[in-house]
Amino acid sequence: MFKQTLITAVTVLALTAGTAAYADKYVIDTKGAHASIQFKISHLGYSWIYGRFNRFSGEFEYNEEQPAASKVAVEIDTASIDSNHAERDKHLRSDDFLDVSKYPKATFVSTGYEDQGDGKALLKGDFTLHGVTRPIVIEVRHIGAGDDPWGGFRRGFEGTTQVALKDYDIGFNLGPTSTSAEIILTVEGVRQ
Amino acid sequence: MSNHRVRRHQSITRSHQQSWGITGIVIHWLSAVLVLGLFALGLWMTSLDYYDPWYKQGPQIHKGFGVVLFALLAGRLLWRLAHQSPPPIASHAPWERHLAQVVHLLLYLLLLIVMLSGYLISTADGRDLEVFGWFGIPALPLGIEHQEDIAGAVHYYLACTLIATVALHIAGALKHHFVDRDETLLRMIHRR
């Protein structure tokens, strides 16, 4: 079992290394918290509630000459959901919503990157949440890149996407205006 | 138990010592109503739809009466320390006395932990525990990660254990009343 996983991992690694020979690899700076995964959902249609996932990790590959070859992979610890209200977070972690004991991870793995010029792009990929995997499109904006003051090189993006709760088998009725959440990803990667 | 004979002697000379007294009786039955009511309310309120008018009121009432029950328990323990409890009824077998003592101790202990864990859910993010909108009980700065989830699990499972223990307590009382036909239940109903 472990051996097989190892072989698969090595194969995947070799394949990705082969196809992205020219791309720079970046690790999302979650350690320094220069990255966040937030969500926004309507409350009764009268206001917005913002929340976030406090723990996640990820990396991306990007090459300015060949943006279409960009790749992103992010893994989210679903139990780290934080809407600044313990009772609500407890409810969000329960089986009415994310069921985090059963589905502790949410993942996004990109399948394509469509550069639209002017720093904008459409990032396509498979998003897994609550045990359901679906293709989504994230509207991405390149924010900036360059040397940091401490000898490294950084590059940042922001992306948004809409996630319909029922697409991910989350059936709790929050009302007709609260059927989907907007996810806002802000990532700063440190070049490796 | 060594002063058994002394206590029995006292109880013969002062007949009211056979009873729990009006304070003990009132506290007992108020607590009984609150424990069963809070358990039922707790199960019901967590099953409500978001748009149910009781979705917000249910938990508010549950918290308020939970604090009332805590005050009753504290008062009761102090009252038991200050007053002599009536001695066991002479016809009770030693195993019945021991079992009754264990069950009573368990009831107090479970009540205490269930109520404290309830407090720890609502105060996990530093918010006060609101009591009927009259006042708030401040949070303890514990900073335990996922405190609301851990306290929530303890609250739920020990509340179920408490109700099972209450069932045993009721079964004992009914057995003494209908099978043994002794004074056990009656002396918790009226003063003699």
Side-chain angles (χ1 to χ4, degrees), chain A residues 43-44 55 79-80 84-87 89-91 93 96 172-177, chain B residues 46 48-51 55 63 121-125 127 145-146 148-149 151-153:
Chain A
H43 185 231
L44 308 170
R55 275 193 306 274
S80 74
N84 196 25
H85 189 326
E87 288 174 356
D89 294 344
K90 176 174 175 289
H91 194 195
R93 290 184 199 111
D96 273 345
F172 193 86
N173 180 26
L174 289 170
T177 60
Chain B
T46 48
L48 291 179
D49 183 87
Y50 194 62
Y51 277 68
Y55 186 87
K63 290 173 201 176
I121 300 172
S122 297
T123 57
D125 52 18
R127 280 178 171 77
E145 200 184 6
H146 293 166
E148 62 273 24
D149 300 314

mmCIF file of all heavy atoms in Angstrom, chain A residues 43-44 55 79-80 84-87 89-91 93 96 172-177, chain B residues 46 48-51 55 63 121-125 127 145-146 148-149 151-153:
data_model
loop_
_atom_site.group_PDB
_atom_site.id
_atom_site.type_symbol
_atom_site.label_atom_id
_atom_site.label_comp_id
_atom_site.label_asym_id
_atom_site.label_seq_id
_atom_site.Cartn_x
_atom_site.Cartn_y
_atom_site.Cartn_z
ATOM 1 N N HIS A 43 -26.268 36.815 4.140
ATOM 2 C CA HIS A 43 -27.096 36.520 5.300
ATOM 3 C C HIS A 43 -28.490 37.087 5.060
ATOM 4 O O HIS A 43 -28.683 38.310 5.050
ATOM 5 C CB HIS A 43 -26.514 37.115 6.588
ATOM 6 C CG HIS A 43 -27.304 36.709 7.805
ATOM 7 N ND1 HIS A 43 -27.775 37.616 8.731
ATOM 8 C CD2 HIS A 43 -27.722 35.496 8.222
ATOM 9 C CE1 HIS A 43 -28.450 36.960 9.663
ATOM 10 N NE2 HIS A 43 -28.428 35.678 9.383
ATOM 11 N N LEU A 44 -29.421 36.204 4.768
ATOM 12 C CA LEU A 44 -30.831 36.552 4.557
ATOM 13 C C LEU A 44 -31.040 37.483 3.357
ATOM 14 O O LEU A 44 -32.138 37.968 3.136
ATOM 15 C CB LEU A 44 -31.430 37.208 5.813
ATOM 16 C CG LEU A 44 -31.265 36.485 7.143
ATOM 17 C CD1 LEU A 44 -31.696 37.405 8.294
ATOM 18 C CD2 LEU A 44 -32.087 35.202 7.192
ATOM 19 N N ARG A 55 -6.169 27.243 8.083
ATOM 20 C CA ARG A 55 -5.036 26.361 7.750
ATOM 21 C C ARG A 55 -5.196 25.767 6.353
ATOM 22 O O ARG A 55 -6.201 25.117 6.059
ATOM 23 C CB ARG A 55 -4.914 25.245 8.790
ATOM 24 C CG ARG A 55 -4.104 25.673 10.010
ATOM 25 C CD ARG A 55 -3.738 24.472 10.867
ATOM 26 N NE ARG A 55 -4.916 23.698 11.217
ATOM 27 C CZ ARG A 55 -5.681 23.965 12.267
ATOM 28 N NH1 ARG A 55 -5.409 24.962 13.055
ATOM 29 N NH2 ARG A 55 -6.735 23.227 12.520
ATOM 30 N N ALA A 79 -11.514 21.784 9.047
ATOM 31 C CA ALA A 79 -11.833 22.070 10.448
ATOM 32 C C ALA A 79 -11.332 23.439 10.883
ATOM 33 O O ALA A 79 -11.716 23.947 11.932
ATOM 34 C CB ALA A 79 -11.243 20.992 11.356
ATOM 35 N N SER A 80 -10.494 24.055 10.058
ATOM 36 C CA SER A 80 -9.954 25.363 10.436
ATOM 37 C C SER A 80 -10.880 26.505 10.033
ATOM 38 O O SER A 80 -10.508 27.668 10.108
ATOM 39 C CB SER A 80 -8.568 25.564 9.823
ATOM 40 O OG SER A 80 -8.664 25.812 8.436
ATOM 41 N N ASN A 84 -15.513 33.754 12.945
ATOM 42 C CA ASN A 84 -15.460 34.657 14.094
ATOM 43 C C ASN A 84 -16.648 34.484 15.035
ATOM 44 O O ASN A 84 -17.140 35.435 15.633
ATOM 45 C CB ASN A 84 -15.364 36.122 13.622
ATOM 46 C CG ASN A 84 -14.924 37.048 14.725
ATOM 47 O OD1 ASN A 84 -14.267 36.608 15.672
ATOM 48 N ND2 ASN A 84 -15.295 38.313 14.642
ATOM 49 N N HIS A 85 -17.155 33.242 15.135
ATOM 50 C CA HIS A 85 -18.276 32.952 16.030
ATOM 51 C C HIS A 85 -18.239 31.447 16.310
ATOM 52 O O HIS A 85 -18.574 30.648 15.439
ATOM 53 C CB HIS A 85 -19.590 33.355 15.355
ATOM 54 C CG HIS A 85 -20.776 33.307 16.272
ATOM 55 N ND1 HIS A 85 -20.903 32.383 17.272
ATOM 56 C CD2 HIS A 85 -21.880 34.078 16.332
ATOM 57 C CE1 HIS A 85 -22.040 32.589 17.909
ATOM 58 N NE2 HIS A 85 -22.650 33.615 17.355
ATOM 59 N N ALA A 86 -17.808 31.086 17.529
ATOM 60 C CA ALA A 86 -17.559 29.679 17.849
ATOM 61 C C ALA A 86 -18.784 28.799 17.637
ATOM 62 O O ALA A 86 -18.684 27.700 17.099
ATOM 63 C CB ALA A 86 -17.076 29.554 19.287
ATOM 64 N N GLU A 87 -19.957 29.283 18.054
ATOM 65 C CA GLU A 87 -21.155 28.448 17.920
ATOM 66 C C GLU A 87 -21.474 28.193 16.448
ATOM 67 O O GLU A 87 -21.869 27.097 16.073
ATOM 68 C CB GLU A 87 -22.350 29.117 18.603
ATOM 69 C CG GLU A 87 -22.243 29.075 20.113
ATOM 70 C CD GLU A 87 -23.337 29.865 20.805
ATOM 71 O OE1 GLU A 87 -24.139 30.517 20.109
ATOM 72 O OE2 GLU A 87 -23.383 29.829 22.039
ATOM 73 N N ASP A 89 -19.212 28.301 13.990
ATOM 74 C CA ASP A 89 -18.151 27.449 13.443
ATOM 75 C C ASP A 89 -18.406 25.985 13.780
ATOM 76 O O ASP A 89 -18.181 25.098 12.956
ATOM 77 C CB ASP A 89 -16.787 27.876 13.996
ATOM 78 C CG ASP A 89 -16.408 29.271 13.514
ATOM 79 O OD1 ASP A 89 -17.023 29.753 12.543
ATOM 80 O OD2 ASP A 89 -15.502 29.873 14.122
ATOM 81 N N LYS A 90 -18.875 25.748 15.008
ATOM 82 C CA LYS A 90 -19.201 24.385 15.432
ATOM 83 C C LYS A 90 -20.273 23.816 14.508
ATOM 84 O O LYS A 90 -20.200 22.664 14.082
ATOM 85 C CB LYS A 90 -19.691 24.421 16.881
ATOM 86 C CG LYS A 90 -20.163 23.110 17.446
ATOM 87 C CD LYS A 90 -20.483 23.285 18.928
ATOM 88 C CE LYS A 90 -21.081 22.031 19.527
ATOM 89 N NZ LYS A 90 -22.450 21.792 19.040
ATOM 90 N N HIS A 91 -21.268 24.629 14.189
ATOM 91 C CA HIS A 91 -22.343 24.205 13.295
ATOM 92 C C HIS A 91 -21.800 23.966 11.875
ATOM 93 O O HIS A 91 -22.161 22.988 11.229
ATOM 94 C CB HIS A 91 -23.449 25.273 13.296
ATOM 95 C CG HIS A 91 -24.735 24.782 12.690
ATOM 96 N ND1 HIS A 91 -25.759 25.623 12.318
ATOM 97 C CD2 HIS A 91 -25.154 23.545 12.383
ATOM 98 C CE1 HIS A 91 -26.750 24.909 11.811
ATOM 99 N NE2 HIS A 91 -26.410 23.645 11.836
ATOM 100 N N ARG A 93 -18.878 23.026 11.063
ATOM 101 C CA ARG A 93 -18.057 21.814 11.019
ATOM 102 C C ARG A 93 -18.909 20.547 11.117
ATOM 103 O O ARG A 93 -18.436 19.458 10.820
ATOM 104 C CB ARG A 93 -17.054 21.806 12.178
ATOM 105 C CG ARG A 93 -15.956 22.831 12.019
ATOM 106 C CD ARG A 93 -14.921 22.713 13.141
ATOM 107 N NE ARG A 93 -14.163 23.922 13.235
ATOM 108 C CZ ARG A 93 -14.252 24.781 14.253
ATOM 109 N NH1 ARG A 93 -15.040 24.525 15.272
ATOM 110 N NH2 ARG A 93 -13.542 25.882 14.250
ATOM 111 N N ASP A 96 -24.297 19.101 9.234
ATOM 112 C CA ASP A 96 -25.231 19.976 8.511
ATOM 113 C C ASP A 96 -24.506 20.689 7.369
ATOM 114 O O ASP A 96 -25.130 21.122 6.396
ATOM 115 C CB ASP A 96 -25.815 21.046 9.455
ATOM 116 C CG ASP A 96 -27.055 20.543 10.191
ATOM 117 O OD1 ASP A 96 -27.614 19.513 9.775
ATOM 118 O OD2 ASP A 96 -27.454 21.184 11.183
ATOM 119 N N PHE A 172 -28.224 22.049 3.938
ATOM 120 C CA PHE A 172 -28.866 22.851 4.978
ATOM 121 C C PHE A 172 -29.444 24.134 4.367
ATOM 122 O O PHE A 172 -28.756 24.854 3.646
ATOM 123 C CB PHE A 172 -27.856 23.198 6.072
ATOM 124 C CG PHE A 172 -28.489 23.754 7.331
ATOM 125 C CD1 PHE A 172 -28.957 22.899 8.309
ATOM 126 C CD2 PHE A 172 -28.621 25.120 7.519
ATOM 127 C CE1 PHE A 172 -29.545 23.397 9.472
ATOM 128 C CE2 PHE A 172 -29.210 25.622 8.674
ATOM 129 C CZ PHE A 172 -29.663 24.755 9.652
ATOM 130 N N ASN A 173 -30.708 24.404 4.667
ATOM 131 C CA ASN A 173 -31.392 25.535 4.040
ATOM 132 C C ASN A 173 -31.080 26.845 4.759
ATOM 133 O O ASN A 173 -31.541 27.098 5.861
ATOM 134 C CB ASN A 173 -32.902 25.281 4.044
ATOM 135 C CG ASN A 173 -33.663 26.433 3.410
ATOM 136 O OD1 ASN A 173 -33.123 27.160 2.570
ATOM 137 N ND2 ASN A 173 -34.905 26.609 3.828
ATOM 138 N N LEU A 174 -30.297 27.685 4.100
ATOM 139 C CA LEU A 174 -29.963 29.000 4.666
ATOM 140 C C LEU A 174 -30.820 30.090 4.038
ATOM 141 O O LEU A 174 -30.611 31.274 4.297
ATOM 142 C CB LEU A 174 -28.479 29.310 4.438
ATOM 143 C CG LEU A 174 -27.498 28.485 5.265
ATOM 144 C CD1 LEU A 174 -26.080 28.707 4.779
ATOM 145 C CD2 LEU A 174 -27.595 28.836 6.743
ATOM 146 N N GLY A 175 -31.751 29.683 3.184
ATOM 147 C CA GLY A 175 -32.621 30.649 2.532
ATOM 148 C C GLY A 175 -32.250 30.851 1.083
ATOM 149 O O GLY A 175 -31.141 30.523 0.658
ATOM 150 N N PRO A 176 -33.199 31.411 0.319
ATOM 151 C CA PRO A 176 -33.020 31.510 -1.135
ATOM 152 C C PRO A 176 -31.866 32.398 -1.581
ATOM 153 O O PRO A 176 -31.358 32.238 -2.695
ATOM 154 C CB PRO A 176 -34.359 32.092 -1.614
ATOM 155 C CG PRO A 176 -34.981 32.706 -0.408
ATOM 156 C CD PRO A 176 -34.502 31.923 0.766
ATOM 157 N N THR A 177 -31.420 33.327 -0.744
ATOM 158 C CA THR A 177 -30.330 34.211 -1.171
ATOM 159 C C THR A 177 -28.964 33.663 -0.770
ATOM 160 O O THR A 177 -27.941 34.247 -1.083
ATOM 161 C CB THR A 177 -30.476 35.612 -0.556
ATOM 162 O OG1 THR A 177 -30.454 35.472 0.865
ATOM 163 C CG2 THR A 177 -31.771 36.280 -0.981
ATOM 164 N N THR B 46 -31.514 22.035 18.264
ATOM 165 C CA THR B 46 -30.414 21.786 17.328
ATOM 166 C C THR B 46 -30.912 21.119 16.046
ATOM 167 O O THR B 46 -30.142 20.917 15.113
ATOM 168 C CB THR B 46 -29.326 20.899 17.958
ATOM 169 O OG1 THR B 46 -29.958 19.767 18.570
ATOM 170 C CG2 THR B 46 -28.534 21.656 19.013
ATOM 171 N N LEU B 48 -33.617 22.406 14.424
ATOM 172 C CA LEU B 48 -34.488 23.381 13.773
ATOM 173 C C LEU B 48 -33.918 23.916 12.464
ATOM 174 O O LEU B 48 -32.710 24.007 12.286
ATOM 175 C CB LEU B 48 -34.741 24.569 14.718
ATOM 176 C CG LEU B 48 -35.596 24.291 15.949
ATOM 177 C CD1 LEU B 48 -35.725 25.560 16.776
ATOM 178 C CD2 LEU B 48 -36.970 23.779 15.552
ATOM 179 N N ASP B 49 -34.826 24.298 11.610
ATOM 180 C CA ASP B 49 -34.503 24.954 10.354
ATOM 181 C C ASP B 49 -34.045 26.381 10.642
ATOM 182 O O ASP B 49 -34.494 27.002 11.613
ATOM 183 C CB ASP B 49 -35.782 24.959 9.513
ATOM 184 C CG ASP B 49 -35.566 25.550 8.146
ATOM 185 O OD1 ASP B 49 -35.170 24.788 7.259
ATOM 186 O OD2 ASP B 49 -35.776 26.772 7.972
ATOM 187 N N TYR B 50 -33.168 26.893 9.772
ATOM 188 C CA TYR B 50 -32.624 28.239 10.008
ATOM 189 C C TYR B 50 -33.701 29.312 10.098
ATOM 190 O O TYR B 50 -33.549 30.294 10.816
ATOM 191 C CB TYR B 50 -31.632 28.583 8.886
ATOM 192 C CG TYR B 50 -30.762 29.775 9.183
ATOM 193 C CD1 TYR B 50 -29.882 29.746 10.262
ATOM 194 C CD2 TYR B 50 -30.814 30.928 8.412
ATOM 195 C CE1 TYR B 50 -29.082 30.827 10.551
ATOM 196 C CE2 TYR B 50 -30.019 32.018 8.687
ATOM 197 C CZ TYR B 50 -29.146 31.968 9.766
ATOM 198 O OH TYR B 50 -28.352 33.039 10.051
ATOM 199 N N TYR B 51 -34.794 29.115 9.371
ATOM 200 C CA TYR B 51 -35.848 30.135 9.336
ATOM 201 C C TYR B 51 -36.902 29.926 10.418
ATOM 202 O O TYR B 51 -37.881 30.647 10.477
ATOM 203 C CB TYR B 51 -36.498 30.166 7.946
ATOM 204 C CG TYR B 51 -35.695 31.003 6.980
ATOM 205 C CD1 TYR B 51 -34.441 30.581 6.551
ATOM 206 C CD2 TYR B 51 -36.162 32.229 6.537
ATOM 207 C CE1 TYR B 51 -33.686 31.352 5.698
ATOM 208 C CE2 TYR B 51 -35.411 33.013 5.678
ATOM 209 C CZ TYR B 51 -34.172 32.571 5.262
ATOM 210 O OH TYR B 51 -33.427 33.348 4.425
ATOM 211 N N TYR B 55 -35.207 29.265 16.149
ATOM 212 C CA TYR B 55 -33.795 28.983 15.865
ATOM 213 C C TYR B 55 -32.863 29.807 16.755
ATOM 214 O O TYR B 55 -31.827 29.336 17.210
ATOM 215 C CB TYR B 55 -33.491 29.253 14.382
ATOM 216 C CG TYR B 55 -32.100 28.843 13.974
ATOM 217 C CD1 TYR B 55 -31.840 27.547 13.555
ATOM 218 C CD2 TYR B 55 -31.038 29.740 14.038
ATOM 219 C CE1 TYR B 55 -30.564 27.157 13.186
ATOM 220 C CE2 TYR B 55 -29.759 29.357 13.666
ATOM 221 C CZ TYR B 55 -29.533 28.063 13.247
ATOM 222 O OH TYR B 55 -28.262 27.678 12.890
ATOM 223 N N LYS B 63 -29.724 28.466 27.328
ATOM 224 C CA LYS B 63 -28.597 29.011 28.099
ATOM 225 C C LYS B 63 -29.075 29.634 29.405
ATOM 226 O O LYS B 63 -28.485 29.398 30.466
ATOM 227 C CB LYS B 63 -27.860 30.078 27.284
ATOM 228 C CG LYS B 63 -27.099 29.524 26.107
ATOM 229 C CD LYS B 63 -26.542 30.675 25.274
ATOM 230 C CE LYS B 63 -26.229 30.215 23.873
ATOM 231 N NZ LYS B 63 -25.773 31.331 23.029
ATOM 232 N N ILE B 121 -18.880 25.906 25.388
ATOM 233 C CA ILE B 121 -19.233 26.018 23.956
ATOM 234 C C ILE B 121 -19.475 27.491 23.641
ATOM 235 O O ILE B 121 -18.875 28.058 22.729
ATOM 236 C CB ILE B 121 -20.529 25.242 23.619
ATOM 237 C CG1 ILE B 121 -20.401 23.762 23.926
ATOM 238 C CG2 ILE B 121 -20.889 25.439 22.140
ATOM 239 C CD1 ILE B 121 -21.720 22.993 23.794
ATOM 240 N N SER B 122 -20.370 28.104 24.424
ATOM 241 C CA SER B 122 -20.826 29.457 24.101
ATOM 242 C C SER B 122 -19.741 30.506 24.304
ATOM 243 O O SER B 122 -19.784 31.565 23.706
ATOM 244 C CB SER B 122 -22.033 29.816 24.964
ATOM 245 O OG SER B 122 -23.093 28.940 24.669
ATOM 246 N N THR B 123 -18.774 30.209 25.152
ATOM 247 C CA THR B 123 -17.749 31.203 25.457
ATOM 248 C C THR B 123 -16.418 30.903 24.773
ATOM 249 O O THR B 123 -15.412 31.557 25.047
ATOM 250 C CB THR B 123 -17.507 31.281 26.985
ATOM 251 O OG1 THR B 123 -17.150 29.974 27.449
ATOM 252 C CG2 THR B 123 -18.739 31.748 27.720
ATOM 253 N N ALA B 124 -16.433 29.921 23.840
ATOM 254 C CA ALA B 124 -15.172 29.472 23.224
ATOM 255 C C ALA B 124 -14.441 30.591 22.478
ATOM 256 O O ALA B 124 -13.224 30.574 22.364
ATOM 257 C CB ALA B 124 -15.434 28.305 22.282
ATOM 258 N N ASP B 125 -15.199 31.558 21.934
ATOM 259 C CA ASP B 125 -14.538 32.635 21.181
ATOM 260 C C ASP B 125 -14.414 33.915 22.009
ATOM 261 O O ASP B 125 -14.176 34.988 21.465
ATOM 262 C CB ASP B 125 -15.298 32.909 19.884
ATOM 263 C CG ASP B 125 -16.782 33.142 20.113
ATOM 264 O OD1 ASP B 125 -17.162 33.427 21.276
ATOM 265 O OD2 ASP B 125 -17.562 33.049 19.159
ATOM 266 N N ARG B 127 -16.784 35.341 23.768
ATOM 267 C CA ARG B 127 -18.062 36.012 24.009
ATOM 268 C C ARG B 127 -18.585 35.642 25.396
ATOM 269 O O ARG B 127 -18.276 34.561 25.913
ATOM 270 C CB ARG B 127 -19.092 35.553 22.976
ATOM 271 C CG ARG B 127 -18.974 36.241 21.627
ATOM 272 C CD ARG B 127 -20.018 35.669 20.674
ATOM 273 N NE ARG B 127 -20.111 36.413 19.439
ATOM 274 C CZ ARG B 127 -19.256 36.334 18.428
ATOM 275 N NH1 ARG B 127 -18.201 35.530 18.519
ATOM 276 N NH2 ARG B 127 -19.419 37.054 17.335
ATOM 277 N N GLU B 145 -7.754 25.009 21.369
ATOM 278 C CA GLU B 145 -8.122 24.925 19.964
ATOM 279 C C GLU B 145 -9.349 24.020 19.795
ATOM 280 O O GLU B 145 -9.421 22.944 20.390
ATOM 281 C CB GLU B 145 -6.958 24.387 19.127
ATOM 282 C CG GLU B 145 -7.156 24.748 17.673
ATOM 283 C CD GLU B 145 -6.097 24.186 16.740
ATOM 284 O OE1 GLU B 145 -5.247 23.401 17.221
ATOM 285 O OE2 GLU B 145 -6.129 24.523 15.570
ATOM 286 N N HIS B 146 -10.300 24.490 19.000
ATOM 287 C CA HIS B 146 -11.555 23.763 18.768
ATOM 288 C C HIS B 146 -12.297 23.492 20.070
ATOM 289 O O HIS B 146 -12.949 22.459 20.215
ATOM 290 C CB HIS B 146 -11.316 22.455 18.021
ATOM 291 C CG HIS B 146 -10.838 22.695 16.619
ATOM 292 N ND1 HIS B 146 -10.298 21.730 15.833
ATOM 293 C CD2 HIS B 146 -10.816 23.823 15.863
ATOM 294 C CE1 HIS B 146 -9.958 22.234 14.662
ATOM 295 N NE2 HIS B 146 -10.267 23.509 14.661
ATOM 296 N N GLU B 148 -15.005 24.741 21.172
ATOM 297 C CA GLU B 148 -16.443 24.583 20.989
ATOM 298 C C GLU B 148 -16.803 23.168 20.537
ATOM 299 O O GLU B 148 -17.852 22.650 20.902
ATOM 300 C CB GLU B 148 -17.001 25.627 20.015
ATOM 301 C CG GLU B 148 -16.461 25.582 18.598
ATOM 302 C CD GLU B 148 -15.173 26.391 18.418
ATOM 303 O OE1 GLU B 148 -14.450 26.611 19.410
ATOM 304 O OE2 GLU B 148 -14.898 26.801 17.275
ATOM 305 N N ASP B 149 -15.915 22.537 19.757
ATOM 306 C CA ASP B 149 -16.211 21.184 19.272
ATOM 307 C C ASP B 149 -16.023 20.148 20.378
ATOM 308 O O ASP B 149 -16.844 19.245 20.547
ATOM 309 C CB ASP B 149 -15.300 20.835 18.090
ATOM 310 C CG ASP B 149 -15.488 21.802 16.941
ATOM 311 O OD1 ASP B 149 -16.643 22.088 16.598
ATOM 312 O OD2 ASP B 149 -14.479 22.293 16.396
ATOM 313 N N ALA B 151 -15.989 20.744 23.708
ATOM 314 C CA ALA B 151 -17.013 20.984 24.731
ATOM 315 C C ALA B 151 -18.376 20.521 24.225
ATOM 316 O O ALA B 151 -19.183 19.994 24.988
ATOM 317 C CB ALA B 151 -17.051 22.469 25.094
ATOM 318 N N GLY B 152 -18.613 20.681 22.923
ATOM 319 C CA GLY B 152 -19.889 20.271 22.339
ATOM 320 C C GLY B 152 -20.095 18.765 22.432
ATOM 321 O O GLY B 152 -21.180 18.297 22.779
ATOM 322 N N ALA B 153 -19.043 18.010 22.139
ATOM 323 C CA ALA B 153 -19.139 16.552 22.210
ATOM 324 C C ALA B 153 -19.355 16.104 23.661
ATOM 325 O O ALA B 153 -20.211 15.260 23.946
ATOM 326 C CB ALA B 153 -17.878 15.915 21.633
#
